[in-house]
Every structure is written in C-alpha cells, then in structure tokens.
Amino acid sequence: MVWRNPQLSVEEVAQPTLRNEDDVVIETLVCGICGSDVHASQADANGYVGFAGPARLPVILGHEFTGRVVEVGRGVRSLRPGQIVAAESIAACFSCSACRDGHLNQCERVELVGLTVDGALARYIRVNAAHCYSVEPLLERFSESLGCELGSLLEPVGCAYNALCVNVGGIKQADRVAVFGAGPIGLGAVALAHAAGASLVVAFDVIDERVALAKKLGADAAFNLATLATQGVTPRDVLSELTHGRGVTIALEAAGAAELFPDLPSLLATRGTLVYVGRTATTLVFDPNPLVSGALRIIGSRGHAGYGIFPALIKMIADGTLNLAPLITARVPFDAAASAIKQAWQRRDGKVLVRIRDF
Ligand SMILES: [Zn+2]
Ligand SMILES: [Zn+2]
C-alpha cells in the first residue's frame, strides 16, 4: 500500500525499440480491459491503489492484446514482421529455478506486462518473442477483426485454462463445477467447463449482468449471491440441491472476495479441489478440519504462460469447441481507453475491448 490517489492520463511516449535480440516490437490492434487495470487505477476508501499484485507505477496499462509484429530482434526465429500474434503477459526470466522447471507463471523474477513494465494500451509494445503466438487459425476461421478480438481473450481465458486444465489437472465429464466471480476469468472457466462436458456448471456473482453472461457462456445455472442472501439462501443450499447433497468436485474462486473463502471448502465433494485465482488484500481465518476429513485440496493458480495453453485455446476457439464471443460486451476506440477503464469500474461488462487502430 505505497500508492495513493491513482490517476489515469493519456501521454505521448517514445516508440519502443528492440532492446534484446529475442525482442519483438508489435503494433497493437486490440487490447482488453482487465480487472487488474481496474484495480490499478481505482482507489479504495482510503485513497490507496486497489491492486494487490506486483506493480511498478507509473506504467502504461493493458496486457490482453493482439497486434501485428513490425520488428524482430536478431535472435528471433519463430516470428516474422507482418504476423498477427497474441502474447502472454507473464514476462518470465527463463533462467530462475521455477522457469528452468518449466513453470513460467511462477517465475521468481516475473515482470507483468501492463503492470510492472509498459503495456499494450499504446500504439506499440515491445515483448519477448517467446511469449508470442500467431493467431492465424482465428483469422482464417473468423474475420481478421473478430479473430483479433478473440485473440485478445486468450490471456484472461488462459488464466482459467491454467487453473482448471493445468493446475487442477483437467475437467472430466463427471465433474461438478462451481465458479465464484463471473468476471472474464470466471466466465472463461464456465465456458471451459461447459466445453469439457462437465455434468454441472454453476456460477455465482453479485451483479445481474454477469449472472446473465454466465448462462450465455454455458452455465447450467447462475445466481446473484446478493439476491440469494436476501432470501436467506446460501451457495451451499443451492449447490447441495443441484448436486443432490454430494457437493462440487471443483470450486474456482475468481472473485477475490475474502468473505466467501472460509465457506468454500464445505461446498466440495470428497477429494474435491478448491482453486483460488482471485486476489485479495486481506488475510483470512478459516477452519482447516474439512480438508482433513474430506481429503480436499486447496490450490492457487496464477497466469497463463507456457504448458501449451495459448495453442490449445486457439485450436478450441478455431474449431468451435469454445465459443467466447458472448464474453465481448463493449468495443471502444483508442481515444476512449481511459473512459473505458472507468466503465469497467462498474464491473457490469464481460470484456471491454479497446480497438487501438482501425483495421
Ligand atoms: Zn488480465
Ligand atoms: Zn524465471
């Protein structure tokens, strides 16, 4: 809590240039607004920046993007100028022990694009080529415009894929999945669980628009927690009824709502897994005994880099397995980026996309 009274402004900056031989410079086309952009630019009641993860301010925000490669470093073999790519926003060092074990998301010297280093709400961005993936299959399957927009969803939906398909270990048809928080990551989790054929997918949020979006993305049922509370109904009551008392095999927390967490283990079936993706600025007290009696697992998950996540999602979107189009609820021009971030403060949208250029 170092920073107070965050301000958003539009500035002229120098165009980024190649710095290392594995860098590429990308002309940005589409950039999504993320919950962390909202948290980084919004103050809490005491005026402090709301973002609880690493940040180095001031910074150019934006990390969910597609763009066209315009310049490649001498050491880059995988990309050429003109290609349209999406990029992971976890900038790994590739040399610490976590990276050497293949766990780029847990890099000990991680930089976060758009939070600790300059991001994509700008006309150009410099990134390491190893984090870029061609979105050609999306451009071929859809129009260039929609293909680029869907490409910008790989980053947030990749976080859901990393949580469910990598860290939990996959979604099976027998799984009963509850998702808390129907922001873009939670909605991505709903879409992935639905695409995997999970036998039950239930979402919870506190905003009606997002409850409705969860149904559009494939939730079998979705509830407004605030409405349930006025009726004296808890998520546990709802899930107990929907699972005939068995509980869910996977619960995903993507709300960062500290008050929810202590009750979540009790929603799980025997040997169920709670995966925590939200971030919270407070510490928690909870009863660990259900973990012992139920052989439950609680795991955390950060990021979307490596493990073949972007290529898997590109394929699923291109072949029609995963329909993410309903996630996009607003498109704004670059001029309106700052007001778009403020629009996202309302948390009513799925994904607000900034169209950086006309194309
Ligand atoms: Zn994000
Ligand atoms: Zn590293």
Side-chain angles (χ1 to χ4, degrees), residues 141-345:
R141 169 69 176 77
F142 306 97
S143 63
E144 179 166 296
S145 177
L146 182 56
C148 284
E149 291 184 346
L150 292 169
S152 75
L153 301 178
L154 294 171
E155 200 271 1
V157 176
C159 294
Y161 188 101
N162 184 37
L164 293 174
C165 303
V166 179
N167 287 319
V168 172
I171 311 161
K172 296 180 290 298
Q173 292 187 346
D175 277 319
R176 305 179 292 276
V177 182
V179 174
F180 290 84
I185 293 177
L187 291 169
V190 165
L192 284 165
H194 175 70
S199 63
L200 179 71
V201 185
V202 187
F204 297 92
D205 202 282
V206 291
I207 293 169
D208 284 332
E209 287 86 340
R210 289 190 156 178
V211 172
L213 274 173
K215 288 184 187 158
K216 272 194 184 171
L217 282 147
D220 299 300
F223 301 91
N224 185 323
L225 284 169
T227 311
L228 289 182
T230 62
Q231 297 160 350
V233 178
T234 65
R236 189 182 177 158
D237 298 332
V238 168
L239 292 174
S240 180
E241 187 176 328
L242 290 171
T243 64
H244 310 289
R246 293 181 296 166
V248 294
T249 56
I250 301 171
L252 180 133
E253 209 284 0
E259 68 280 8
L260 276 178
F261 189 91
D263 292 328
L264 296 182
S266 72
L267 308 177
L268 294 173
T270 304
R271 303 197 79 220
T273 303
L274 167 59
V275 53
Y276 189 78
V277 182
R279 285 207 179 256
T280 173
T282 58
T283 51
L284 296 162
V285 176
F286 78 101
D287 176 9
N289 290 300
L291 304 185
V292 179
S293 39
L296 308 178
R297 293 196 296 162
I298 300 180
I299 59 175
S301 187
R302 172 174 83 180
H304 47 261
Y307 305 128
I309 293 172
F310 271 39
L313 284 175
I314 290 169
K315 179 172 187 299
M316 289 175 82
I317 299 167
D319 72 14
T321 309
L322 190 63
N323 177 19
L324 297 178
L327 197 46
I328 303 167
T329 53
R331 297 166 169 89
V332 300
F334 190 31
D335 298 357
S339 51
I341 292 172
K342 289 183 183 165
Q343 178 181 337
W345 288 4

Side-chain angles (χ1 to χ4, degrees), residues 32-37 63-64 89 115 155-156 159 185 304 351:
I33 305 294
C34 175
S36 54
D37 300 319
H63 57 269
E64 305 177 354
S89 73
L115 288 163
E155 200 271 1
C159 294
I185 293 177
H304 47 261
K351 186 54 74 180

Side-chain angles (χ1 to χ4, degrees), residues 70-91:
V70 290
E71 224 185 323
V72 304
R74 280 183 299 126
V76 175
R77 301 274 176 274
S78 56
L79 296 172
R80 56 182 188 283
Q83 276 186 302
I84 295 182
V85 298
E88 298 160 342
S89 73
I90 297 276

